[in-house]
Amino acid sequence: MVDAGGGENITQLPQELPQMMAAAADGLGSIAIDTTQLNMSVTDPTAWATAMNNLGMVPVGLPGQQLVSDSICVPGFDPSLNMMTGITPINPMIPGLGLVPPPPPTEVAVVKEIIHCKSCTLFPQNPNLPPPSTRERPPGCKTVFVGGLPENATEEIIQEVFEQCGDITAIRKSKKNFCHIRFAEEFMVDKAIYLSGYRMRLGSSTDKKDSGRLHVDFAQARDDFYEWECKQRMRAREERHRRKLEEDRLRPPSPPAIMHYSEHEAALLAEKLKDDSKFSEAITVLLSWIERGEVNRRSANQFYSMVQSANSHVRRLMNEKATHEQEMEEAKENFKNALTGILTQFEQIVAVFNASTRQKAWDHFSKAQRKNIDIWRKHSEELRNAQSEQLMGIRREEEMEMSDDENCDSPTKKIRVDESALAAQAYALKEENDSLRWQLDAYRNEVELLKQEKEQLFRTEENLTKDQQLQFLQQTMQGMQQQLLTIQEELNNKKSELEQAKEEQSHTQALLKVLQEQLKGTKELVETNGHSHEDSNEINVLTVALVNQDRENNIEKRSQGLKSEKEALLIGIISTFLHVHPFGANIEYLWSYMQQLDSKISANEIEMLLMRLPRMFKQEFTGVGATLEKRWKLCAFEGIKTT
């Protein structure tokens, strides 16, 4: 593992022209170069290139030349690839799905060249030997293990060799012959792995301490894994954000919020109702306001004008519908004409096939040609029949529509096109006149409301108190009038009772006279016949009983008796009710109780029934002044006690 601060003291050496080596490495086999045989300047790049070409090797390590081609590493690698949105997070642990493409197939041998540096030279291994093995690549690996270094190799030499692979962030060298190198990007690790197997020779020395075979492998580092996890979490966040944006884009838009009612908003809404493009939105707002209960006495005229604007939109919709219907009729007519032309051409094609099947032409065709012509003729006839049936169906529909129009409209009601246009124009003018008249009525109502509001504002407290006093006086007058009416009714009842009593008195007096005359006659008969005094007493008792019976008969005649079983039932119920109310009850209280039993009975009917039975029910007055009240009481038990 490489320490983050391990690369602070490392200095980078500039790349210069490498010096010519004296002898070739072991990987070149039997090829060797003797320095005594070279008679050229080592610092001359042209001479160096010529010598390498003579040996059959491509010279590398020249200034400006790339160490490893991009085709070996990630092709067209973009370091900002992981920041792109819309890419599913990739797990580099899965084979074949990592950011780094798989290594080239083992069947194809990769030709490696000699790499020359300022302080050392790298010789490739024998191509016939198998490539060096590597461990499984850790996720987010940016650190490599480099083994097999020469004992005399320093950090400066190591940095000089591996900085050609990319930016080095840290180098940590061990006392033994290995080190760990951490690069800035992951693709640089693949370039470093490419150097595995090379033999490293320091300068022109042939000492064992100055040579070694490099072994470059992936290394596990906590810093690399931590950065890889951070990138994965960042990709997951970007993916969640992308999916959320996609869901928000596919989610149907929520309806716009309905603004609260105000006079300013109502004026804007009235203008929107007159615009065809904004009518749908405006009518939704108007419906919401009406359902919320925004219509009151003050805003009624304004809402009426908006409803009127909605009504005027009906005329626009009808005109639009008529336009679309006309377009549909024109499209139908064009379709029918086109279908007629197609059918005509089908008829001509079928006629050609029929002519070809006749004897004078049919005999000259071969058997295969006759078969094809016969197939083509049958197919064309089927298509012709289908098109003909479709056209006949359209014509039948038109005939049915025409017949329906004739049945619905009598000949007297048929109007020409010009007359219908004039009628439509007259109807439009009439609707416009009605709308103007309605607007005028609305303005009048608004003016009247404003006048009433001004009158209410100018009314003072004195007027309010006077109105209250006047209402109180009217209520007292009505109460006094009702009392006078009740007293007048009672007076009339008393007068009628007095007249009945006078009639009874006269009747009893006449009866008494008749009985006295009869008594005198009986006394004379007794005296003449000599009857005893006891018989006369019996006669007197009999006359008194007759008088009482006659009086009772007169009272029963005056009460006029009961007319039906219903009245007897009502008297029993009323008697029970008044018996449990010893202080009496007014006629309204009694009527409300009786109405629960019989909803059709009236208070007047109950009062007349009580007046017909004076020996069972009597009327009394309670209270003084405005609290004067007339109550009915049960007096039947008082009559029994007196008798």
Side-chain angles (χ1 to χ4, degrees):
M1 185 180 68
V2 178
D3 190 2
E8 294 181 355
N9 299 324
I10 298 173
T11 58
Q12 296 182 356
L13 299 176
Q15 293 182 359
E16 297 178 356
L17 184 66
Q19 299 178 357
M20 184 63 186
M21 299 300 299
D26 295 339
L28 295 176
S30 63
I31 299 175
I33 299 175
D34 190 2
T35 57
T36 59
Q37 298 176 0
L38 296 175
N39 295 322
M40 62 179 180
S41 177
V42 181
T43 59
D44 188 3
T46 307
W48 173 252
T50 303
M52 295 300 293
N53 287 329
N54 293 333
L55 292 173
M57 293 182 293
V58 179
V60 295
L62 296 177
Q65 185 177 0
Q66 189 177 2
L67 177 63
V68 183
S69 63
D70 288 338
S71 61
I72 304 290
C73 302
V74 181
F77 183 85
D78 187 2
S80 62
L81 181 63
N82 55 353
M83 298 301 292
M84 295 173 59
T85 58
I87 300 177
T88 307
I90 300 172
N91 185 6
M93 296 296 291
I94 301 176
L97 295 180
L99 292 176
V100 180
T106 57
E107 291 81 4
V108 179
V110 179
V111 179
K112 295 184 179 183
E113 302 86 2
I114 298 174
I115 301 172
H116 298 276
C117 299
K118 181 180 179 181
S119 303
C120 62
T121 305
L122 300 178
F123 298 94
Q125 68 176 3
N126 190 349
N128 298 324
L129 296 177
S133 61
T134 57
R135 63 162 60 178
E136 185 179 359
R137 184 182 187 125
C141 180
K142 294 182 182 179
T143 306
V144 293
F145 167 81
V146 181
L149 293 171
E151 294 182 4
N152 295 332
T154 61
E155 290 187 4
E156 290 77 8
I157 296 174
I158 296 171
Q159 184 167 0
E160 180 185 357
V161 173
F162 285 94
E163 70 180 357
Q164 301 179 60
C165 300
D167 295 336
I168 297 174
T169 59
I171 297 177
R172 186 174 180 181
K173 186 176 181 304
S174 177
K175 293 180 180 180
K176 297 182 180 180
N177 301 334
F178 69 89
C179 69
H180 288 85
I181 303 174
R182 189 165 190 260
F183 294 95
E185 299 295 338
E186 294 183 22
F187 71 94
M188 300 174 183
V189 174
D190 297 277
K191 295 183 179 181
I193 295 294
Y194 178 77
L195 300 177
S196 182
Y198 272 84
R199 176 169 292 278
M200 185 175 180
R201 180 69 59 87
L202 301 179
S204 60
S205 175
T206 59
D207 192 2
K208 292 184 178 181
K209 294 183 178 181
D210 295 333
S211 65
R213 187 180 298 276
L214 298 180
H215 175 69
V216 185
D217 197 356
F218 301 106
Q220 290 185 350
R222 282 181 293 185
D223 294 341
D224 298 344
F225 188 73
Y226 175 73
E227 290 182 2
W228 177 79
E229 283 186 338
C230 292
K231 288 181 180 179
Q232 293 298 317
R233 285 194 291 268
M234 182 179 64
R235 292 194 188 109
R237 287 194 298 270
E238 292 174 356
E239 178 67 16
R240 288 195 297 270
H241 180 66
R242 185 191 64 80
R243 290 179 181 176
K244 186 176 183 301
L245 292 178
E246 189 70 17
E247 290 176 359
D248 294 341
R249 186 179 65 84
L250 298 176
R251 185 184 297 115
S254 58
I258 305 299
M259 72 286 292
H260 292 285
Y261 170 78
S262 64
E263 293 183 358
H264 176 68
E265 294 292 342
L268 295 177
L269 187 66
E271 294 297 329
K272 289 182 180 179
L273 286 171
K274 297 176 183 178
D275 190 358
D276 293 341
S277 60
K278 300 179 181 179
F279 179 79
S280 299
E281 179 184 356
I283 199 69
T284 305
V285 177
L286 179 60
L287 178 62
S288 300
W289 283 355
I290 295 174
E291 290 179 350
R292 286 178 183 175
E294 300 290 348
V295 182
N296 51 30
R297 189 174 181 183
R298 186 183 185 88
S299 61
N301 294 327
Q302 203 164 14
F303 273 97
Y304 178 77
S305 63
M306 288 190 285
V307 172
Q308 186 177 355
S309 299
N311 181 42
S312 63
H313 189 73
V314 174
R315 184 169 63 253
R316 295 197 294 270
L317 293 176
M318 294 304 296
N319 294 333
E320 186 177 355
K321 180 187 175 185
T323 305
H324 289 308
E325 287 179 351
Q326 186 177 0
E327 292 177 355
M328 185 178 67
E329 293 296 333
E330 292 176 357
K332 283 184 178 179
E333 189 67 25
N334 294 332
F335 176 71
K336 186 176 70 173
N337 295 333
L339 193 61
T340 304
I342 291 171
L343 185 61
T344 303
Q345 294 179 11
F346 269 116
E347 292 289 347
Q348 294 173 355
I349 293 170
V350 171
V352 170
F353 285 128
N354 290 331
S356 299
T357 55
R358 290 173 185 171
Q359 189 71 26
K360 58 182 179 180
W362 188 256
D363 294 339
H364 299 285
F365 293 117
S366 64
K367 188 174 182 181
Q369 291 174 346
R370 291 177 184 178
K371 185 177 180 181
N372 291 334
I373 291 172
D374 193 11
I375 293 172
W376 294 340
R377 180 181 60 81
K378 291 180 180 179
H379 184 62
S380 299
E381 287 180 353
E382 290 177 358
L383 293 175
R384 189 268 316 269
N385 295 332
Q387 300 295 328
S388 178
E389 289 179 359
Q390 187 175 3
L391 184 61
M392 292 300 295
I394 294 173
R395 289 177 179 174
R396 281 196 297 270
E397 289 179 358
E398 291 180 353
E399 291 176 359
M400 291 176 65
E401 290 178 357
M402 293 293 292
S403 63
D404 291 339
D405 294 338
E406 290 176 359
N407 293 332
C408 295
D409 300 334
S410 61
T412 57
K413 292 182 181 180
K414 289 183 178 180
I415 304 173
R416 294 179 181 179
V417 178
D418 297 337
E419 294 178 356
S420 63
L422 292 173
Q425 188 176 4
Y427 181 72
L429 292 173
K430 182 181 177 182
E431 283 193 349
E432 187 175 0
N433 188 15
D434 293 339
S435 64
L436 292 174
R437 188 173 67 252
W438 292 337
Q439 289 180 2
L440 182 60
D441 293 338
Y443 292 146
R444 285 177 181 174
N445 294 332
E446 189 172 358
V447 170
E448 289 178 358
L449 288 172
L450 291 174
K451 287 181 180 179
Q452 291 178 2
E453 289 178 358
K454 288 182 179 179
E455 290 177 359
Q456 291 178 359
L457 291 174
F458 287 123
R459 288 182 66 180
T460 59
E461 294 181 356
E462 295 179 359
N463 294 332
L464 294 174
T465 54
K466 287 181 180 179
D467 292 340
Q468 292 177 358
Q469 291 177 0
L470 183 61
Q471 291 177 0
F472 181 72
L473 292 173
Q474 288 177 355
Q475 291 177 0
T476 53
M477 287 291 292
Q478 290 177 0
M480 293 176 67
Q481 287 177 358
Q482 290 179 359
Q483 290 179 5
L484 288 173
L485 290 174
T486 53
I487 292 171
Q488 190 173 2
E489 289 178 359
E490 292 175 359
L491 182 60
N492 293 331
N493 293 332
K494 294 293 183 181
K495 286 181 180 180
S496 61
E497 290 178 0
L498 183 60
E499 289 177 356
Q500 290 178 1
K502 287 181 179 180
E503 290 178 359
E504 291 177 359
Q505 186 178 3
S506 60
H507 182 69
T508 51
Q509 287 179 357
L511 183 60
L512 184 58
K513 289 180 180 179
V514 172
L515 291 174
Q516 286 178 356
E517 289 177 358
Q518 290 179 0
L519 183 59
K520 288 179 180 180
T522 52
K523 284 182 179 180
E524 290 176 357
L525 290 174
V526 169
E527 289 176 356
T528 54
N529 294 327
H531 288 287
S532 62
H533 183 68
E534 294 178 355
D535 295 334
S536 63
N537 291 333
E538 291 178 359
I539 292 169
N540 290 331
V541 171
L542 180 60
T543 55
V544 172
L546 290 172
V547 172
N548 292 332
Q549 186 176 4
D550 193 6
R551 186 181 297 173
E552 291 176 358
N553 291 332
N554 291 332
I555 292 171
E556 290 177 357
K557 287 179 181 178
R558 183 169 61 86
S559 62
Q560 297 180 358
L562 299 176
K563 296 181 180 180
S564 63
E565 186 179 355
K566 180 182 177 181
E567 290 184 354
L569 182 61
L570 290 175
I571 289 170
I573 295 171
I574 293 169
S575 301
T576 307
F577 181 81
L578 293 177
H579 180 63
V580 298
H581 291 79
F583 299 104
N586 54 12
I587 194 68
E588 288 79 8
Y589 185 24
L590 186 59
W591 174 62
S592 64
Y593 175 74
M594 295 298 295
Q595 199 176 18
Q596 296 178 359
L597 303 175
D598 187 3
S599 59
K600 296 181 180 179
I601 195 168
S602 61
N604 191 16
E605 184 179 355
I606 296 172
E607 191 172 8
M608 292 301 294
L609 183 61
L610 295 174
M611 290 174 62
R612 284 167 51 192
L613 300 171
R615 295 184 63 181
M616 291 185 65
F617 308 102
K618 66 179 180 178
Q619 198 174 25
E620 292 182 354
F621 292 93
T622 60
V624 178
T627 61
L628 187 63
E629 186 180 7
K630 182 170 64 175
R631 293 187 178 182
W632 287 91
K633 289 186 178 181
L634 181 65
C635 61
F637 297 108
E638 296 177 0
I640 294 174
K641 290 178 182 179
T642 54
T643 57

